[in-house]
């Protein structure tokens, strides 16, 4: 008995889920790289990689925790969408979920970074 795609014969579902999480991380890195390059950084690729690991502390601890929860939640949600859907819908739904999650994460970081640096 299968309960709402609880058990799947499609062995590629796990790979789709992991691929969606990897795509989410790549999109996040790309956005950070672009922001660093626009600010005139000498080494935007290296700084973007280090920024993903929280080398700098541009936010308060509370804002940083919320930011990481949004980031991880978006990655997990994107993976779940890719895992639970199939066919063409899988690529479209996972892509849209990743774009919305990364946009929400970037918006939150932008808003809190502006407030923290001004205050």
């Amino acid at each position: 008995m299968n309960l709402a795609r609880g058990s799947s014969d499609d062995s590629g579902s796990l790979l789709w889920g992991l691929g969606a999480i990897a795509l989410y991380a790549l999109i996040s890195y790309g956005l950070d790289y672009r922001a660093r390059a626009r600010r005139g950084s000498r080494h935007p690729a290296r700084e973007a990689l280090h920024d993903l690991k929280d080398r700098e502390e541009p936010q308060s601890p509370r804002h940083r925790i919320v930011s990481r929860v949004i980031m991880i939640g978006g990655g997990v949600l994107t993976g779940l969408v890719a895992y639970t859907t199939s066919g063409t819908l899988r690529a479209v739904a996972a892509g849209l979920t990743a774009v919305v999650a990364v946009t929400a994460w970037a918006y939150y970081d932008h808003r809190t970074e502006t407030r923290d640096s001004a205050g």
Side-chain angles (χ1 to χ4, degrees):
M1 179 172 153
N2 290 339
L3 297 175
R5 296 224 0 122
S7 175
S8 175
D9 293 334
D10 183 15
S11 61
S13 292
L14 181 60
L15 292 177
W16 267 98
L18 293 174
I21 293 171
L23 178 64
Y24 181 81
L26 184 65
I27 291 170
S28 300
Y29 173 79
L31 287 173
D32 199 23
Y33 173 83
R34 191 176 106 202
R36 294 285 181 169
R38 283 186 172 180
R39 290 183 201 146
S41 173
R42 293 181 133 180
H43 306 287
R46 183 176 30 178
E47 290 178 8
L49 184 63
H50 285 287
D51 194 39
L52 290 176
K53 295 188 297 185
D54 265 343
R55 181 186 65 163
E56 297 176 11
E57 306 295 333
Q59 299 173 321
S60 69
R62 180 180 159 271
H63 288 147
R64 190 174 54 253
I65 290 170
V66 172
S67 174
R68 293 304 172 227
V69 167
I70 293 170
M71 178 188 72
I72 292 169
V76 169
L77 183 62
T78 302
L80 284 173
V81 166
Y83 182 75
T84 58
T85 56
S86 62
T88 306
L89 178 63
R90 175 182 286 166
V92 172
L96 287 175
T97 304
V99 167
V100 168
V102 169
T103 302
W105 180 37
Y107 179 74
Y108 179 80
D109 278 354
H110 172 73
R111 295 268 312 201
T112 57
E113 185 177 13
T114 303
R115 284 187 200 152
D116 287 344
S117 62

